[in-house]
Amino acid sequence: MEEVWLQAQSNLAKVLTHQTYNTWIQPIKFNGANKNTLILSVPNEFIKERIAEHYLPMIIESICSLTNSQYTVELQITPQESKQSTATKRDAAKTAAEPGQQPQADYSTNLNPKYTFETFVCGGSNQFAHAAAQSVANNPAGKYNPLFIYGGVGLGKTHLLNAIGNDVLTRNKKARICFYTSEKFMNELINCLRYQKMDQFRNKFRKMDILLIDDIQFIAGKERTQEEFFHTFNSLYESHKQIIVTSDKFPKDIPGLEERLRSRFEWGLIADIQPPDTETKIAILKKKAESDKIVLPDDVSLFLASSATSNVRELEGMLIRLGAVASLTGKNITLDMAREVLKDIIVDKTKEVTVEMIQKYVAEHFGIKVTELKSDKRLKALVVPRQIAIYLCRELTKASYPEIGEKFGGKDHSTIIHSTKKVEKLLSQNFELKSTIDTLKKGLLT
Ligand SMILES: Nc1ncnc2c1ncn2[C@@H]1O[C@H](COP(=O)(O)OP(=O)(O)OP(=O)(O)O)[C@@H](O)[C@H]1O
């Protein structure tokens, strides 16, 4: 299997930029295989995280296409102290120090250089948080302190947090800024407690000009971490330093968060990020495709954006997957290819569905005849499928109530409205019905 990995590496070298390949892919070493898992070793946690976040789908795709079978990949950390890996770490640190990020002697900013305001697409769903972030970057510790950004998974909170840090550093290279996930903050705290280095811990955080903490909700319920964070917060706030945190919830909705912290988060500005609309999703995909040099036709970006997910990370994952398939097969990305490659992930809303298709599909699903579905018979075994089919016709086709009535044996439009409303009402209470309808929809649209 080692040869497969070496071949996969060389294929990836052809599709990635030189710098990306050297920084992230080249340091990966083959470390064994069992069944359908390839074990790869990476030099450190930093590289492991980045690979898992950005390159794993591409790596798996490359291995699977070489072996023609399904493989998963396990990443293990094995420190590699060879000259080469030391150089790689240096390169990674160098990459992380751009743009305008001065690596400080006594700490690391941990900022991701890719997450800037320039690479962030602003749309209706995130414009408030974006404006708040820009305002804080322009005037740290001014009007909005702390800034609390909250929103669902993969909607760009970490990106904005980094963008603030990167932006400030491009203008003031001496600014002391650090980005921490709350988990990393906690782990460092635990280590410092263990090795009696609490003075060092406190000094480090309390000397910051801007402290960026990602996913603060994870400190909820962790007493010691909350206490230490509380003192760090007070110390920074009193010295007029900026604090910015992100969370997946509004402060008062974070269970287990101490009251004193909750109230402090509410002192400043709270900005939310909502799921992106289709136009914003398309704009994000296009920007990402451009920066990764992936040729993405308009119909494909619409197809990806019409998928149910609002998680931008997932959208990016689909794009990376398409890019990898296109590079490895030497083909252009087309709508047909996207449908095929992403068939298990995307429900295709662009596919035309007709009343007749729905009638046939629903009748087959319930084991009845289309004529029975269209009839006036009041048997329960027919009434429920009929109402579901009518509901789906309204949901998935452009047919009007009278048109649907006509195709259901000449029924009156009020009967069609009644059936649709009945299903709509039941959907919120009846989980089984919802699941049946979801299955039917998926089947009809893929
Ligand atoms: N508006 C946007 N413009 C450009 N890229 C975006 C945008 N929103 C999200 N992304 C990208 O989507 C990915 C996920 O975003 P990010 O990690 O910031 O999400 P998050 O809200 O912090 O998620 P989590 O809750 O999992 O921490 C990143 O690669 C980010 O660059």
Side-chain angles (χ1 to χ4, degrees):
M1 280 307 287
E2 182 157 16
E3 299 78 62
V4 172
W5 170 240
L6 293 175
Q7 185 55 48
Q9 258 185 327
S10 108
N11 289 349
L12 290 167
K14 290 180 203 144
V15 297
L16 295 167
T17 63
H18 187 62
Q19 190 186 18
T20 305
Y21 176 80
N22 280 348
T23 309
W24 308 115
I25 307 296
Q26 201 217 15
I28 308 175
K29 300 274 175 276
F30 176 78
N31 204 12
N34 55 47
K35 283 199 181 148
N36 279 9
T37 305
L38 208 68
I39 302 162
L40 299 176
S41 78
V42 292
N44 56 44
E45 186 65 37
F46 177 67
I47 291 189
K48 181 178 171 186
E49 274 176 20
R50 300 294 134 150
I51 293 170
E53 196 175 336
H54 298 285
Y55 303 105
L56 207 50
M58 201 182 235
I59 290 173
I60 294 174
E61 198 83 53
S62 170
I63 293 166
C64 295
S65 78
L66 282 168
T67 54
N68 246 337
S69 28
Q70 286 302 312
Y71 267 89
T72 56
V73 165
E74 186 185 322
L75 295 174
Q76 287 182 348
I77 299 173
T78 316
Q80 300 163 359
E81 281 313 327
S82 66
K83 259 187 184 172
Q84 186 190 38
S85 73
T86 315
T88 307
K89 279 185 207 166
R90 245 195 342 259
D91 284 352
K94 204 171 127 213
T95 316
E98 294 160 357
Q101 295 171 22
Q102 194 84 344
Q104 308 284 329
D106 55 345
Y107 77 100
S108 157
T109 65
N110 299 324
L111 287 168
N112 183 334
K114 277 191 352 199
Y115 292 164
T116 62
F117 285 126
E118 288 71 37
T119 56
F120 189 83
V121 174
C122 181
S125 56
N126 58 32
Q127 63 187 352
F128 183 63
H130 177 253
Q134 282 196 316
S135 170
V136 165
N138 288 332
N139 184 16
K143 275 192 281 180
Y144 309 129
N145 199 16
L147 172 63
F148 187 99
I149 302 174
Y150 78 97
V153 174
L155 297 186
K157 302 179 295 291
T158 307
H159 190 135
L160 273 185
L161 201 57
N162 277 274
I164 298 172
N166 283 322
D167 190 62
V168 173
L169 275 177
T170 50
R171 278 177 278 117
N172 175 7
K173 295 199 175 2
K174 291 203 178 118
R176 294 179 66 89
I177 300 177
C178 75
F179 168 95
Y180 264 69
T181 60
S182 64
E183 218 169 351
K184 196 162 176 233
F185 180 88
M186 185 175 79
N187 289 339
E188 201 157 310
L189 170 69
I190 293 169
N191 267 332
C192 290
L193 283 168
R194 209 159 118 203
Y195 298 109
Q196 283 148 16
K197 286 185 182 165
M198 278 311 288
D199 283 349
Q200 197 178 313
F201 179 89
R202 288 180 182 135
N203 271 334
K204 170 175 168 178
F205 287 103
R206 294 177 198 183
K207 271 199 212 153
M208 289 297 152
D209 295 315
I210 300 183
L211 178 62
L212 308 159
I213 301 281
D214 204 12
D215 289 326
I216 195 75
Q217 74 273 8
F218 290 128
I219 69 167
K222 319 258 172 26
E223 226 172 277
R224 187 70 175 87
T225 312
Q226 294 203 62
E227 183 177 346
E228 205 51 51
F229 183 74
F230 174 75
H231 294 303
T232 306
F233 182 103
N234 284 347
S235 163
L236 289 172
Y237 189 84
E238 279 155 20
S239 337
H240 304 287
K241 306 295 184 187
Q242 178 75 46
I243 303 130
I244 308 154
V245 294
T246 71
S247 163
D248 64 348
K249 293 186 193 69
F250 194 80
K252 80 168 169 38
D253 296 330
I254 304 176
L257 184 71
E258 281 182 12
E259 181 56 27
R260 56 185 181 167
L261 274 178
R262 186 191 62 72
S263 70
R264 270 160 185 76
F265 292 151
E266 290 175 5
W267 277 353
L269 177 67
I270 300 184
D272 68 323
I273 303 190
Q274 292 297 324
D277 52 27
T278 306
E279 289 72 23
T280 310
K281 286 194 211 172
I282 291 177
I284 293 172
L285 284 164
K286 288 196 162 170
K287 192 153 201 152
K288 175 87 183 147
E290 202 182 298
S291 87
D292 287 2
K293 303 198 170 33
I294 297 173
V295 181
L296 184 70
D298 285 350
D299 55 351
V300 181
S301 58
L302 176 63
F303 172 66
L304 299 189
S306 69
S307 77
T309 187
S310 302
N311 183 332
V312 180
R313 191 177 296 115
E314 282 179 14
L315 282 176
E316 288 184 344
M318 295 180 204
L319 178 65
I320 290 173
R321 197 157 159 191
L322 286 182
V325 172
S327 306
L328 294 168
T329 58
K331 292 185 182 149
N332 290 333
I333 296 177
T334 61
L335 191 54
D336 283 344
M337 176 211 270
R339 281 195 175 122
E340 177 56 29
V341 172
L342 304 172
K343 63 173 182 277
D344 296 332
I345 308 174
I346 297 188
V347 171
D348 185 359
K349 287 195 194 146
T350 60
K351 189 171 151 189
E352 180 96 27
V353 177
T354 62
V355 172
E356 288 75 13
M357 280 162 71
I358 295 174
Q359 288 173 331
K360 186 162 176 286
Y361 197 75
V362 173
E364 267 169 22
H365 179 89
F366 287 100
I368 57 175
K369 293 189 189 126
V370 173
T371 47
E372 290 176 316
L373 193 74
K374 294 197 217 171
S375 72
D376 289 331
K377 290 187 192 152
R378 304 291 309 153
L379 289 170
K380 196 172 173 212
L382 300 179
V383 172
V384 175
R386 189 178 299 136
Q387 286 175 337
I388 290 177
I390 290 172
Y391 168 83
L392 286 172
C393 289
R394 276 302 286 176
E395 274 277 292
L396 305 178
T397 76
K398 292 197 179 90
S400 64
Y401 288 121
E403 280 163 354
I404 297 172
E406 186 55 42
K407 295 193 173 178
F408 275 80
K411 292 190 176 46
D412 189 72
H413 78 280
S414 59
T415 310
I416 304 301
I417 295 176
H418 171 77
S419 294
T420 313
K421 294 250 176 312
K422 175 125 199 212
V423 174
E424 273 169 7
K425 192 166 163 222
L426 283 175
L427 268 180
S428 56
Q429 307 149 5
N430 186 334
F431 181 74
E432 206 182 320
L433 177 70
K434 184 174 179 321
S435 147
T436 305
I437 289 187
D438 285 347
T439 310
L440 287 167
K441 262 193 199 171
K442 204 164 174 197
L444 280 159
L445 290 168
T446 46

